[in-house]
Amino acid sequence: MAPNDAASRRAASTNPPSGLAANATRDISAALTALLADVFALYIKTKNFHWHISGPHFRDYHLLLDEQGDQLFGITDDIAERVRKIGGTTLRSVGQIGRLKRILDNDAEYVTPEDMLAELRDDNKQLTQSMREVHDLCDEHGDVATASLLENWIDEAERRVWFLFETNRHA
């Protein structure tokens, strides 16, 4: 076996056969990794509010935020694995999440339940918009598999926005 053949096989074995061009892999991987950082940030914020919510609707809000946190955490592995399937690399540390995330933290000592729900509603709207932008990028590169996943995640995010909106609406 010639040395070039072995090197060629090693290089090929590290790049999954997604059929995407190298620039597509680079661009989509970067966009999904930033999206993953946002999902982790929103997950932590949702759990923060879940742990610290209080008031007369405590049980309902506590359960709602727990459900939404589980849903967010549930897509993290799918996002990261999609990056790997197309040949990219993804998050490696909490520090990287901090550098890439676009969802703002809330470290306030006290936040009213109404403000918690409104902030999470707006954050989920922001996440939905980011998902749409990644979907557009996937369309540009012909990555229908990632676009299909994003369509489901967008629908889930819109549902979270809807629930947070309706829960916080005053009669």
Side-chain angles (χ1 to χ4, degrees), residues 4-19 84-87:
N4 288 345
D5 292 341
S8 181
R9 271 196 300 283
R10 278 193 303 277
S13 70
T14 60
N15 295 320
S18 67
R84 297 296 292 141
K85 284 179 197 174
I86 66 171

Side-chain angles (χ1 to χ4, degrees), residues 128-157:
T128 303
Q129 182 56 41
S130 295
M131 288 178 178
R132 286 190 175 102
E133 291 167 6
V134 178
H135 189 284
D136 290 345
L137 179 66
C138 292
D139 286 346
E140 288 174 28
H141 289 293
D143 183 359
V144 296
T146 304
S148 177
L149 291 169
L150 283 157
E151 289 166 4
N152 290 321
W153 300 333
I154 289 167
D155 183 59
E156 291 172 358

Side-chain angles (χ1 to χ4, degrees), residues 34-48 72 76 91 97-98 100-106 120 123 127:
L35 184 67
L36 181 57
D38 286 341
V39 171
F40 270 120
L42 184 54
Y43 166 74
I44 293 296
K45 182 186 273 188
T46 301
K47 292 305 281 192
N48 167 28
L72 288 162
T76 59
L91 295 174
I97 291 170
L100 294 176
K101 73 176 181 66
R102 297 157 291 193
I103 300 291
L104 299 177
D105 293 333
N106 185 327
L120 290 174
D123 288 342
L127 184 68

Side-chain angles (χ1 to χ4, degrees), residues 8 26 32 58 60-61 66 76-77 82 85 94 97 102 107 118 121-122 135 141 145 158 162 168 170-171:
S8 181
R26 180 195 64 234
L32 286 173
F58 165 78
D60 292 335
Y61 295 169
D66 196 33
T76 59
D77 199 48
R82 185 65 197 156
K85 284 179 197 174
V94 173
I97 291 170
R102 297 157 291 193
D107 296 328
R121 180 199 62 222
D122 292 346
H135 189 284
H141 289 293
E158 288 175 340
W162 174 43
N168 211 21
H170 299 285

Side-chain angles (χ1 to χ4, degrees), residues 45 49 65 111-125 161 164-165 167-168:
K45 182 186 273 188
F49 290 168
L65 298 182
V111 181
T112 67
E114 294 78 16
D115 288 344
M116 288 179 180
L117 298 177
E119 189 170 333
L120 290 174
R121 180 199 62 222
D122 292 346
D123 288 342
N124 275 282
K125 284 171 74 172
V161 170
L164 292 162
F165 172 78
T167 301
N168 211 21

